[in-house]
Amino acid sequence: MEEDGSSGFIERPGADRQWYDLFSRGARDWLRHNDKVRSAVRERLPELIANSDVLPRADSTVQVPVRFLEHSRFRLRDPGQQEGVGQGEGKPGDQLTGPAEQREGKGAGGNDEGGYQFVLELKIDDIVDWLWEELKLPNLKVKSGAVRNEDYQREGWSRRGVRSRLDRRRSLKEAIKRRAVQPDGAAFTDDDLRYRQLSLRKRPATEAVVFFAMDVSSSMTDHDRKLAKSFFFWVVQGLRRQYTHIEPVFVAHTIEAWEFPEQEFFQVSGSGGTVASAAFRKILDIAAQRYDPGRFNIYTFYASDGANFRHDREAAQAALAELGEIVNFIGYVETAPAAQQALSTETSALFEQLQADTGVAGRYGLSTPESVWDAIRAFFTQQADVEV
Amino acid sequence: MTEALTRYAQRLEELAKEHGLDYYPVQFEEVPSSFMMEIAVYGLPVRMPHWSFGVRYIYQLIQHRMGHSRLFEVVFPGNPGRAYLARNNSLQENTLVTAHVLGHADFAKNNTLFKRSQEQVGYKIVEQAASHAREIGYAVEQHGQTRVEQVLDAALALEAHIDTVQPLRRERYPQYLEPSKTGRGGPFQSRFDNLPGGPVATDAPLERVRAPTPPAPERDLLWLIAEYAPDLEEWERDIFRAVREESFYFYPVFACQIMNEGWASYWHARLLREADFLPQNEYLDALKTHSDVVRPHAAEQQASLVVNPYHLGFSIWESIVEEHGIERAFQIRGEDDDFSFVRNYLSQELAEELKLFRYEQAADGSVRVLDHDIHALRETALAPKYNFGAPAVLATHIANDGSLELFHEHATDGRGLDLDRAERVLDYLHKMWRRPMALETIDTERRTKVLRRS
C-alpha cells in the first residue's frame, strides 16, 4: 500500500456534527428489540390476564416484567464451576468476598445481557387492538329494532324560542347580514335573534350490561376459574368496542346464587352442589330491578364444569328460556381438563336446546389458555353472523 | 481545544517516528460520547442494523450511567487508519489518547494477523461496513424487515464461526475426487496389475467419482451457508458474505487484544514521558489518566475477577523491553498473537508481581482462590480466546437431498453445547437452510445428543 496523505484531525461542518447527536443507531435497534418483545408478550397474553386478581379496566395498563431478548449463539453448557484468572490479594484456598463483579462476556461470543429486566407497560386498549388484528374478529352489530333510546338532540335554528337557547353568535351574524343591506338599520332587531331548536330523536341503545355467572361449587378448580376469567375479560373488552358504556355484574352460585363485587368474585369459593337455575333466576331478578331490556343490551355468560343436579333440569330449562327472551346473547363456557371432554354434560345439553330454539345462545369448551382464543373467535364470529 | 491537540498530535507523531513506530496515516475525529458508545457497541461506526445491537446498546448505556465503563478512543486499522476520540474528554486525556492511537496504528500495520486480514478484507473497513449497512437497508426496502432480520439472526449468530486459516475469498469445493495417480486401489494394486498376465492397461478414462461435500469437516459455517445452502436467494447469500467479511476483520482485534492494548499503552506512556513539549501540569494530568486506564482493578476492591487487558499487556511489554530490548519487542509485535504472547512472555516472576491468581467460581457465585501455577494461569487466561471464543461446530456432510449435518467437537471443547441456545440457533439456521438439519453434541451425561430439524 502506498501512503497517501498524512495524519490529521477531521473537522466536520456543523450540520454533520449534529447528525451524530440526532441519530442513534443504538436507539433504533433498541426500539426494534422492544417491538419484538411486545409481540412476544402478545403471545403470552391469556396467561397474563388469567394471573391477575381482577379484570383489568380498559383504560388501565398491565405491567409485564420482561427479560431482554437474547440473540442466541452456540455456547458451551455452563460448567458447575467456572474458572478464571483474577488479580489482587489472594492465597490458595481463600474465599473472596465483597461485591462480586460481573464476569463480562466481551468479544464476539459474549452475550450476557440476560441479567437485566425491564417492565413493559401495555395499554389494555392496545392489547384489544392487537387481538382484533390477530384474530380477525368481525365487528359485532348492535341489535337494531326494538332496542332504542329516545333523546333530544340539537337540530337547526328557529326565530322563536326560550331565552336559554338563544344562540348569540348566530344572532349577531344575522344582524351583520341585515345591516349590510340596511346601512342605517338598528343594531339589533327581534328578527335577528336565532334560537337553537331541539327535536326528539331515537337512538339505538349504546349501553350494555354483561352478567357473568360462575359455578363456584367445589368441583370448580383454580384452573377452571382462570380459564373462565380470561374468557370473561376478553368478552368484556370486545363488547366495549361496540357500546359506549358497559356494566359488568357478577353472580356466583352453588345451590344458591349471590351477587358479588368484582374484586371478590374471582376469589369466591363455595361448597356443595350445583343448581344452575338459581343463577339464572338471580340474573332475571337483577335485570328486572336494574336493567330494563328496552334500554340495555344484555349479555350473559355462564361458566361451569357442567355438573348440574339432575332434578334441576326443568327449573333450569324454564329459567333459561325466560333469559333467552331478554338477552342479546347468552354464552355458556364449559371448563374441562381436556378438550374432547367438554360440552357433553347436562348443562351443555340445556344450552344446546336454547341455541336450537332461539339462536341467541352459544357454547364453548375451555381446556387450555389457547382454547380461550378459539372461544373468543367463535363468539364474535357467531355474533356477527346472527345479528343483522 | 482542538488547536492545542492538533499541535501536540504533530509533536507526538514526530516523536513516535523517531522511536521507529511505523503506521499508515491516521485520521482523528472528535465525536460526542454517545457516538463513541455506539461505535463500541457495533464494533464499527456504521454497521448493519439488528435488534441484538439494541440490547448491547442499552446494556452499555446502563454500565455507562453507573460509571463502570469509560471509553477513551476507538481505532480502526486501515489506510488511512481512523481514530475517534470522545469530544468531552479533557485536552490532557485526548493527548494521551492520541499517543495511544499511534501505538495501535503501528500494531495494525505490522502485526501479521492484522496485515493478513487487511490484505484480504481491504484497508477501508469503516467504508465497507457502511456500504454493507446500506445494502442491507435496500434489502429491507425490497424484501421487508422480517425476512432480512431472519437472515441476520442466522448470520450474526454464526459471526464467530469462520475459518481464518482459509482465505476470505475461497474457491468452491472440487466436484470430483482427483483420480489417484497410481490408478485404482493404491500402490500394491498397481504393482499387482503390472505383473505379467495381469489385466491390460487401457487408456479408457477413469470413472470420475463425485467428491463428498464438504470434503473435510468445515469450520467456516458462514461461507458454507453462503455458498452451499440449497434454497437461498442471492441477496440472502450476500448478507452472509457481508457478515463473514466483517468477522474476518474482527478476528485479529479479538485474537490480539492483550498484545494490542498493551502495546498502545506502552507507547502512550513512553511517548508522554518523553514529550518535553508538554507543560508540566498537563503531563501530570495525562499521567493520571494513564494510571486510570492501566490500573489492575478499582482501588476500593481487594481483588478483581477480570484481568484488565490494558494492564496485563502493558506489564508484559514493559518486561519484554526491559529484558530483551526494544528491537525484540518490535519483532514480537509483528509475529505473535495473544496465545504465543502470553505463553512466552508472561513469566512466573511477572505473574507474582502482578498478583495473578487462578480461581474457581461455584454456581452460587462464591469464589475460591485455586493456585498461582504459571502454566495453569496462562491456559486459563487464554481458554476463552480459542476458536474466536465459540464452540467448535463443524459441518460434516451435505447429503444429496440437501440435508446438512453439523457436529460439535465436544472432545476438544470438553463439554457439550448449551442445548437451549443450540436449539434456538438451529431455528435461526433452519429458516435459511430450508432442508433437514441435524446437530450432534453431548448432554450432561456425556451421551450423544442429536438435535434435528426437518
Side-chain angles (χ1 to χ4, degrees), chain A residues 17-294:
Chain A
R17 288 172 66 129
Q18 278 159 6
W19 176 87
Y20 288 139
D21 296 327
L22 284 176
F23 183 69
S24 161
R25 267 174 288 273
R28 172 201 62 197
D29 286 349
W30 171 242
L31 291 177
R32 177 66 194 148
H33 164 266
N34 290 0
D35 280 349
K36 289 181 78 78
V37 171
R38 273 166 198 277
S39 37
V41 167
R42 223 157 130 158
E43 283 152 27
R44 282 179 45 214
L45 278 179
E47 209 184 307
L48 291 171
I49 298 305
N51 285 329
S52 63
D53 282 344
V54 288
L55 297 187
R57 300 160 52 84
D59 53 358
S60 68
T61 56
V62 272
Q63 293 200 331
V64 188
V66 284
R67 285 185 173 281
F68 289 174
L69 294 183
E70 184 190 318
H71 180 234
S72 297
R73 306 198 165 198
F74 286 127
R75 275 233 318 237
L76 293 183
R77 195 163 38 73
D78 275 341
Q81 291 170 330
Q82 206 145 18
E83 287 185 3
V85 174
Q87 192 172 11
E89 304 296 337
K91 293 187 294 296
D94 277 4
Q95 289 279 354
L96 295 184
T97 48
E101 263 172 88
Q102 288 249 316
R103 288 171 59 93
E104 281 175 54
K106 284 239 168 114
N111 208 355
D112 264 354
E113 292 85 0
Y116 287 96
Q117 271 206 350
F118 66 109
V119 173
L120 202 62
E121 205 167 20
L122 302 167
K123 283 197 191 124
I124 298 282
D125 271 351
D126 287 349
I127 299 178
V128 176
D129 285 344
W130 295 342
L131 190 70
W132 245 252
E133 224 172 84
E134 198 140 302
L135 296 181
K136 304 213 167 35
L137 293 177
N139 271 325
L140 150 178
K141 293 196 179 71
V142 177
K143 199 191 219 175
S144 55
V147 187
R148 278 169 187 265
N149 278 352
E150 289 194 344
D151 204 359
Y152 284 102
Q153 281 188 316
R154 265 184 207 168
E155 198 175 73
W157 289 266
S158 144
R159 296 185 181 215
R160 307 265 177 277
V162 290
R163 225 181 140 69
S164 63
R165 293 211 188 88
L166 177 68
D167 186 336
R168 291 186 181 79
R169 174 186 284 258
R170 191 85 191 186
S171 303
L172 192 61
K173 271 190 187 167
E174 292 298 325
I176 292 167
K177 276 200 293 200
R178 182 178 46 77
R179 284 198 309 252
V181 286
Q182 300 179 342
D184 306 323
F188 264 105
T189 69
D190 281 351
D191 283 347
D192 297 335
L193 300 183
R194 293 288 182 278
Y195 296 89
R196 294 191 186 96
Q197 191 175 276
L198 296 181
S199 69
L200 194 61
R201 281 284 152 136
K202 287 180 178 178
R203 284 189 300 132
T206 53
E207 281 174 304
V209 56
V210 188
F211 288 99
F212 293 113
M214 188 162 68
D215 173 5
V216 295
S217 66
S218 38
S219 58
M220 286 287 282
T221 62
D222 261 6
H223 174 72
D224 291 339
R225 285 169 199 228
K226 277 187 178 169
L227 288 177
K229 179 171 149 190
S230 53
F231 177 77
F232 287 171
F233 174 75
W234 294 113
V235 165
V236 177
Q237 295 313 323
L239 293 175
R240 277 212 168 100
R241 292 171 76 93
Q242 312 301 321
Y243 300 109
T244 48
H245 180 72
I246 207 161
E247 240 174 87
V249 177
F250 298 89
V251 174
H253 84 94
T254 57
I255 51 173
E256 275 181 84
W258 308 271
E259 185 183 349
F260 279 99
E262 184 183 341
Q263 283 81 354
E264 291 165 32
F265 179 66
F266 290 104
Q267 272 87 46
V268 174
S269 66
S271 55
T274 308
V275 175
S277 64
F280 303 151
R281 284 282 157 217
K282 186 78 187 172
I283 294 172
L284 284 167
D285 288 350
I286 297 174
Q289 285 165 24
R290 303 189 338 230
Y291 304 101
D292 170 15

Side-chain angles (χ1 to χ4, degrees), chain B residues 397-412:
Chain B
H397 187 56
I398 301 175
N400 282 338
D401 66 351
S403 60
L404 173 68
E405 284 168 27
L406 298 171
F407 177 73
H408 169 226
E409 273 191 344
H410 47 79
T412 42

Side-chain angles (χ1 to χ4, degrees), chain B residues 211-413:
Chain B
T213 318
E218 178 59 63
R219 288 177 178 276
D220 199 330
L221 300 184
L222 283 175
W223 179 77
L224 185 93
I225 293 179
E227 304 306 323
Y228 286 93
D231 299 323
L232 275 191
E233 288 180 35
E234 206 49 38
W235 66 269
E236 293 173 308
R237 296 182 199 276
D238 283 342
I239 292 181
F240 275 89
R241 290 177 188 130
V243 170
R244 179 166 173 264
E245 190 173 288
E246 290 175 16
S247 280
F248 266 72
Y249 156 74
F250 281 117
Y251 179 72
V253 182
F254 176 80
C256 298
Q257 194 206 12
I258 300 172
M259 273 181 95
N260 192 2
E261 293 301 354
W263 184 250
S265 302
Y266 174 81
W267 281 104
H268 77 225
R270 179 148 181 195
L271 292 180
L272 284 184
R273 206 157 54 224
E274 297 175 15
D276 46 15
F277 50 88
L278 279 184
Q280 187 69 17
N281 55 340
E282 292 191 1
Y283 168 69
L284 283 176
D285 282 342
L287 206 62
K288 184 181 172 311
T289 313
H290 162 76
S291 59
D292 281 348
V293 172
V294 301
R295 71 179 169 178
H297 46 82
E300 63 275 11
Q301 281 173 313
Q302 176 199 3
S304 161
L305 297 185
V306 206
V307 175
N308 176 350
Y310 290 76
H311 179 63
L312 180 61
F314 174 74
S315 310
I316 299 180
W317 280 117
E318 281 218 307
S319 81
I320 290 173
V321 175
E322 201 175 302
E323 273 178 48
H324 308 283
I326 192 73
E327 281 314 311
R328 179 84 180 102
F330 276 118
Q331 191 190 349
I332 292 166
R333 72 97 158 79
E335 294 169 358
D336 284 44
D337 64 5
D338 277 355
F339 292 99
S340 52
F341 184 66
V342 168
R343 285 191 185 130
N344 291 335
Y345 306 107
L346 176 59
S347 62
Q348 180 82 56
E349 300 79 54
L350 187 58
E352 275 165 24
E353 195 182 311
L354 296 178
K355 295 178 176 162
L356 298 183
F357 59 83
R358 212 157 63 87
Y359 68 86
E360 184 181 68
Q361 187 167 29
D364 64 3
S366 67
V367 174
R368 203 165 57 86
V369 176
L370 287 177
D371 54 39
H372 297 101
D373 176 61
I374 186 65
H375 299 288
L377 269 176
R378 289 178 191 147
E379 294 315 308
T380 313
L382 292 171
K385 302 194 73 110
Y386 281 108
N387 200 33
F388 213 160
V393 176
L394 312 178
T396 47
H397 187 56
I398 301 175
N400 282 338
D401 66 351
S403 60
L404 173 68
E405 284 168 27
L406 298 171
F407 177 73
H408 169 226
E409 273 191 344
H410 47 79
T412 42
D413 281 336

Side-chain angles (χ1 to χ4, degrees), chain B residues 10-40:
Chain B
Q10 267 171 4
R11 301 291 297 271
L12 284 170
E13 286 204 57
E14 287 163 17
L15 197 56
K17 288 190 171 145
E18 277 171 34
H19 279 295
L21 292 190
D22 166 30
Y23 51 86
Y24 297 121
V26 183
Q27 292 190 338
F28 289 92
E29 187 171 352
E30 291 190 300
V31 294
S33 63
S34 59
F35 189 62
M36 292 287 290
M37 204 164 68
E38 298 203 336
I39 300 176

